[in-house]
Amino acid sequence: MKEYAETRKHMVERQLAARGIRDRRVLRVMEEVPRHLFVDKNSLGGAYDDNPLPIGSGQTISQPYMVAIMTELLELKGHEKVLEIGTGSGYQTAILAGLCHWVFTIERIRSLSQRAEITLSQFGCQNITFVVGDGSAGWPSEAPFDGIIVTAGSPKIPEILLDQLIEGGRLIIPVGDRFAQTLNRATKIEGGITIERHTPCRFVDLLGEHGWSKT
Ligand code: SAH
């Protein structure tokens, strides 16, 4: 464990702080959360490397820097209710759970959702609700949210997700084609939507009614 603590410190310094991640709460939580518990056994040696890794079912755990920048863009203070679309390994979920009041997380692949729930229960995260389903439509019965984060690439910003933001709320979503996207942040201000485009990125597909179709 000690060995990993040292590796995590390096990850935070070299991959995150050195590249401009400034939110101290984000840096602290990423130094604490044991990323190696979220990767496949045969990726253990590379758990803190500067890249995404396979987590089974053709999906990936995002690169640490991408997790950090997406989280920083949410500007969490601690009181928020956040919706995550694409639970995957549950690593991003754990980071969010350490920074806000409650996380609702949706995953379309049942085996991934179940594994993430087990991993997260191992270190006592209790402010998370998991569900299996198509998150491209959001979670209307739990809306509105202070923040929504989509950890899969979408052809567009789904209107239905914007409808589920509170005034001042933020949606973080990679938008582009199936090979390359740009991280977008949409903020609801006085009922209108302001969109900023951030870093280039590459995510697996957001599949579903308001994302890509399977074929
Ligand atoms: N945040 C995750 C990233 C996982 S990859 C992590 O750090 O591990 C993206 C995930 O989005 C995949 O697990 C994929 O199955 C899921 N996904 C894709 N489309 C989805 C949809 N419409 N609803 C819910 N999950 C979806």
Side-chain angles (χ1 to χ4, degrees), residues 35 38 53 55-63 67 70 84-93 105-109 112-113 131-137 149-153 203-212:
R35 182 171 162 94
F38 295 85
L53 291 166
I55 54 171
S57 308
Q59 309 303 320
T60 53
I61 176 174
S62 304
Q63 176 197 23
V67 172
M70 292 178 87
E84 179 192 34
I85 299 163
T87 316
S89 67
Y91 177 68
Q92 172 78 72
T93 323
T105 185
I106 313 183
E107 171 56 55
R108 57 180 286 279
I109 302 175
L112 290 179
S113 176
V131 78
V132 176
D134 177 8
S136 71
I149 175 169
V150 183
T151 65
F203 278 82
V204 297
D205 291 348
L206 177 73
L207 295 174
E209 192 185 345
H210 301 275
W212 295 101

Side-chain angles (χ1 to χ4, degrees), residues 124-138:
C125 270
Q126 288 182 341
N127 55 341
I128 304 169
T129 308
F130 295 84
V131 78
V132 176
D134 177 8
S136 71

